[in-house]
């Protein structure tokens, strides 16, 4: 039986190597390994052998069976590859020609600056917070100490989802958030004090558009609430932020600013990098309004269940889109959301 098995093995392997087509391989497979195939019948006849011979011959028969099955599979793959190569050659296909390059994507400059700032603030122990772009009137205005009749509401030129005259009794108004400041309230109500967060995001206003005003733009809110927080802490964070994103110090100035949710409030402006004595971007003032901030108003802390006797805090609202303009020397903000590929391609290799 050993001789018979070895003979089947060598004849089988030779036949497999010589097969020129799939049908030929299939016939060999049936003849050797099929239900009535030659190897199968050898395996079936093992039971007639003396018990002492069965294990060795059984092992040999299985090895031969497996070897033939593998050889069949390998030859089948070879034949398929040969058939495909012949087909491609007949089509005039040249596998050595270089392929068409795929257009590569890239990170939008606003997202790039946002990610750089998130990394910077995370390294200083801040969390990244988030909030919805469709926001409740209460969070966009009321909890930030901007009452219903406050002129600041008008100055924000709100885009209403549920306008004030359609609210219905006891119902909340809904807006496209006009700033990232409602995330202050969401974060503080959720996590309590002490807290350090930055919240980058998209905001919306009904604006007259020009080189520095878009209807859809990006801000980054910063909020720190802890014991003994004051203006010097805020100034340090603002300057670290600007230096981090620009890679250098900018000429800045601080002036008083009014926002109902901070007291005292400030405006940080950066010197216009596009001109020396005034241009369309800075509206001839040589300064670009970049980042307001101030100490969190006690009413905001109270609206978030934080005791203003124990905690104080600072907040700032960076005009993210504007700092992108400064970093990359973009002299019109409307490029950022234009979707222009020729503009965007400049930011990726
Ligand atoms: C606010 O939105 C306040 N929430 C900021 C704030 C946060 C103050 C925390 C105090 C404490 P303001 O409306 O000034 O403030 O906008 C903030 C910044 O967003 C501006 O300095 C400017 O850089 C940018 N910005 C404002 N309007 C536009 C616009 N239409 N297009 C592009 N950037 C704008």
């Amino acid at each position: 039986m050993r001789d018979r098995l070895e003979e089947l093995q060598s004849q089988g392997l030779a036949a497999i190597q010589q097969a020129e087509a799939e049908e030929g391989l299939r016939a060999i497979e049936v003849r050797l390994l099929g239900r009535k195939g030659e190897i199968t019948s050898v395996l079936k006849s093992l039971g007639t052998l003396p018990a002492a011979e069965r294990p060795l011959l059984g092992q040999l028969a299985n090895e031969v069976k497996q070897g033939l099955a593998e050889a069949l599979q390998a030859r089948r793959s070879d034949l398929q590859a040969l058939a495909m190569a012949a087909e491609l050659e007949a089509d005039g296909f040249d596998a050595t020609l270089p392929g068409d390059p795929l257009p590569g994507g890239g990170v939008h400059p606003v997202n790039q600056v946002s990610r750089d700032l998130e990394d910077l603030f995370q390294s200083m122990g801040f969390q990244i917070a988030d909030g919805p772009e469709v926001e409740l009137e209460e969070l966009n205005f009321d909890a930030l100490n901007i009452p219903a009749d406050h002129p600041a509401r008008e100055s924000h030129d709100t885009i209403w989802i549920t306008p004030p005259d359609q609210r219905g009794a006891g119902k909340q108004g809904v807006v496209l958030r006009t700033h990232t400041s409602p995330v202050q309230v969401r974060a503080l109500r959720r996590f309590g004090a002490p807290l350090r967060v930055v919240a980058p995001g998209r905001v919306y206003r009904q604006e007259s558009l020009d080189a520095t005003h878009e209807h859809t733009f990006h801000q980054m809110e910063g909020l720190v609430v802890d014991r003994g927080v004051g203006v010097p802490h805020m100034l340090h964070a603002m300057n670290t932020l600007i230096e981090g994103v620009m890679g250098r110090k900018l000429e800045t100035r601080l002036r008083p600013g009014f926002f109902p949710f901070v007291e005292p409030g400030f405006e940080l402006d950066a010197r216009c990098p596009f001109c020396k004595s005034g241009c369309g971007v800075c509206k001839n003032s040589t300064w670009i309004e970049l980042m307001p901030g101030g100490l969190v108003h006690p009413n905001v802390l109270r609206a978030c269940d934080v005791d203003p006797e124990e905690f104080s805090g600072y907040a700032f609202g960076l005009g993210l889109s504007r700092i992108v303009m400064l970093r990359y020397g973009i002299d019109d903000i409307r490029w950022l959301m234009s979707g222009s590929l020729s503009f965007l391609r400049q930011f990726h290799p």
Side-chain angles (χ1 to χ4, degrees):
M1 187 172 285
R2 175 183 293 278
D3 291 347
R4 176 71 185 133
L5 276 170
E6 282 170 358
E7 189 191 359
L8 282 175
Q9 183 181 37
S10 62
Q11 283 175 0
L13 289 176
I16 290 168
Q17 280 320 309
Q18 281 159 18
E20 292 293 342
E22 173 73 20
E23 301 80 57
L25 277 181
R26 183 86 200 112
I28 296 169
E29 190 170 26
V30 171
R31 178 161 58 76
L32 293 172
L33 306 175
R35 267 197 306 132
K36 296 187 180 151
E38 290 171 280
I39 297 283
T40 318
S41 54
V42 171
L43 280 165
K44 279 184 190 157
S45 67
L46 280 173
T48 63
L49 292 175
E53 289 179 25
R54 265 182 238 157
L56 271 182
L57 282 171
Q59 188 185 350
L60 177 65
N62 275 321
E63 281 169 9
V64 169
K65 182 180 174 187
Q66 189 170 343
L68 288 168
E70 282 169 9
L72 277 164
Q73 186 51 41
R75 183 68 185 148
R76 193 166 274 138
S77 304
D78 288 351
L79 287 178
Q80 281 166 355
L82 284 169
M84 184 178 286
E87 204 176 306
L88 290 174
E89 201 177 320
D91 283 352
F93 179 82
D94 181 352
T96 62
L97 283 177
D100 291 335
L102 284 174
V107 181
H108 192 282
V110 170
N111 290 338
Q112 189 55 57
V113 171
S114 182
R115 287 180 194 180
D116 291 351
L117 284 173
E118 285 167 39
D119 287 348
L120 176 73
F121 276 98
Q122 272 178 319
S123 76
M124 299 193 293
F126 284 63
Q127 287 171 254
I128 312 298
D130 198 8
E133 290 173 21
V134 177
E135 184 57 283
L136 296 173
E137 181 184 11
E138 195 253 328
L139 297 180
N140 198 78
F141 294 123
D142 305 68
L144 288 165
N145 200 31
I146 314 178
D149 54 353
H150 201 286
R153 287 203 189 203
E154 269 123 64
S155 77
H156 271 212
D157 301 314
T158 310
I159 298 173
W160 290 88
I161 301 288
T162 312
D165 54 350
Q166 288 171 24
R167 265 180 242 156
K171 291 249 177 73
Q172 284 248 14
V174 178
V175 300
L176 287 184
R177 66 177 178 190
T178 57
H179 51 175
T180 43
S181 298
V183 187
Q184 286 184 34
V185 181
R186 285 183 175 275
L188 206 48
R189 283 184 180 170
R190 179 149 182 219
F191 301 111
L195 182 71
R196 290 158 186 242
V197 287
V198 285
R202 199 154 37 174
V203 303
Y204 304 85
R205 290 184 197 178
Q206 206 137 27
E207 287 275 17
S208 326
L209 307 187
D210 61 28
T212 52
H213 290 84
E214 254 289 20
H215 48 71
T216 304
F217 59 101
H218 290 77
Q219 291 186 337
M220 180 180 269
E221 197 78 9
L223 173 72
V224 169
V225 177
D226 209 330
R227 294 175 184 87
V229 173
V231 173
H233 301 103
M234 180 192 79
L235 288 178
H236 176 73
M238 283 174 151
N239 286 323
T240 308
L241 181 162
I242 291 179
E243 229 179 296
V245 81
M246 300 299 292
R248 65 189 157 93
K249 278 198 163 62
L250 283 191
E251 189 187 344
T252 54
R253 74 172 182 191
L254 196 66
R255 60 194 163 85
F258 174 70
F259 301 90
F261 36 98
V262 287
E263 180 57 39
F266 303 95
E267 288 273 7
L268 190 89
D269 302 334
R271 182 69 88 179
C272 178
F274 302 107
C275 67
K276 290 244 164 347
S277 55
C279 67
V281 181
C282 60
K283 302 216 182 61
N284 291 320
S285 71
T286 77
W287 293 100
I288 294 185
E289 198 182 286
L290 204 58
M291 178 165 36
L295 296 190
V296 181
H297 196 288
N299 286 349
V300 176
L301 294 176
R302 276 188 211 105
C304 300
D305 271 338
V306 173
D307 180 2
E309 297 298 322
E310 185 180 358
F311 289 101
S312 58
Y314 69 80
F316 59 81
L318 170 72
L320 193 57
S321 305
R322 295 220 179 135
I323 203 142
V324 173
M325 295 174 71
L326 293 183
R327 169 144 135 184
Y328 295 111
I330 301 163
D331 64 3
D332 195 318
I333 195 170
R334 287 165 288 195
W335 282 114
L336 292 179
M337 301 302 285
S338 67
S340 157
L341 287 179
S342 54
F343 167 74
L344 291 171
R345 282 203 186 101
Q346 300 173 73
F347 299 90
H348 338 121

